[in-house]
Amino acid sequence: MSPTTLTVSPASGTYGGTVNLSATLTSSGSPVSGKTINFTLNGNPVGSAITNGSGVATKTGASLSGIYPGFYPSGVGASFAGDSSYSPSSGIASLTVVYGTCTGPNPPGGVILPPINTDGSSVFKSNNDRTIPVKFTVCDANGNPISDPNAAFLNGCCGSITMLTRTRGTVDNVNADGTTDIPDVAFHFVGDHWQFNLVTKNLDAGFTYTFQINLKFGAIQFTVAVK
């Protein structure tokens, strides 16, 4: 019985969509054709494929259902059961699941949304009765906004904002309006975006702040000044 080696390729796909998987079966450096390779995603079976003349088995359209955005170092698995001529072998590779591109009337994904400017130029008035609406959206493979907090936020339910920097200095004139909404303790989903009403009374006038929204995969940074 000849020994075999199964080399699995890293894979990437979009949340809520599908991914193509590939693995190469060889024996003593030569490709092994006509053999069934079984694939898994995070340990769950997603189908099989037959190796071609180059020893490559390709499983197309494996579902990413139930797999949240993120990087999984051993997310792709493949195995060859062996037969009377060849010994069994298996291998793993990384899986990356990303957010999709928002389409249609939906706001752009993965960036801070108005009234906060993406270029960091927003200046709000310091006022105990006002809040700053912090808004963003992320989308799935179909371009639709994701309302599941477990897929949107690193810590699951409700999300978090981290203050990265607080810098004292000259602040331009007020150019953005806050709201009188009730201050939030967590993000909530509104129509096509996530929103957190940040209370301005906790921010000192004459300072510029940089914050980070911690997503399930990646982060969104934004800057606001208070005057």
Side-chain angles (χ1 to χ4, degrees):
M1 182 179 293
S2 301
T4 62
T5 300
L6 188 60
T7 304
V8 185
S9 299
S12 63
T14 305
Y15 174 70
T18 61
V19 64
N20 296 330
L21 308 176
S22 178
T24 303
L25 183 67
T26 59
S27 179
S28 300
S30 298
V32 179
S33 63
K35 304 302 179 183
T36 299
I37 306 300
N38 296 302
F39 290 94
T40 62
L41 289 176
N42 285 349
N44 297 310
V46 291
S48 62
I50 306 297
T51 56
N52 61 18
S54 299
V56 178
T58 302
K59 168 62 181 176
T60 60
S63 175
L64 289 170
S65 176
I67 302 178
Y68 293 128
F71 177 74
Y72 303 87
S74 56
V76 182
S79 62
F80 168 57
D83 56 22
S84 59
S85 300
Y86 295 98
S87 63
S89 56
S90 62
I92 58 173
S94 64
L95 171 67
T96 304
V97 181
V98 300
Y99 294 111
T101 300
C102 299
T103 59
N106 299 310
V111 295
I112 200 68
L113 299 175
I116 300 175
N117 298 328
T118 58
D119 62 2
S121 63
S122 297
V123 181
F124 292 85
K125 181 176 178 58
S126 177
N127 189 318
N128 288 348
D129 297 326
R130 309 293 283 183
T131 59
I132 300 174
V134 179
K135 303 178 182 180
F136 78 94
T137 191
V138 284
C139 291
D140 61 18
N142 296 316
N144 299 318
I146 297 170
S147 60
D148 181 356
N150 293 302
F153 298 107
L154 179 64
N155 62 345
C157 177
C158 311
S160 65
I161 295 178
T162 302
M163 183 190 297
L164 299 180
T165 62
R166 175 180 179 270
T167 306
R168 185 178 182 87
T170 302
V171 174
D172 292 336
N173 293 328
V174 174
N175 59 23
D177 292 327
T179 68
T180 56
D181 291 336
I182 298 174
D184 282 321
V185 295
F187 276 94
H188 56 284
F189 192 75
V190 184
D192 59 5
H193 65 272
W194 289 94
Q195 181 168 331
F196 182 99
N197 295 317
L198 182 67
V199 62
T200 56
K201 71 178 181 180
N202 295 331
L203 305 178
D204 297 322
F207 284 81
T208 298
Y209 296 84
T210 299
F211 296 93
Q212 178 169 290
I213 304 168
N214 302 303
L215 302 179
K216 191 72 172 183
F217 188 53
I220 297 172
Q221 292 185 7
F222 64 94
T223 299
V224 295
V226 179
K227 187 167 186 176

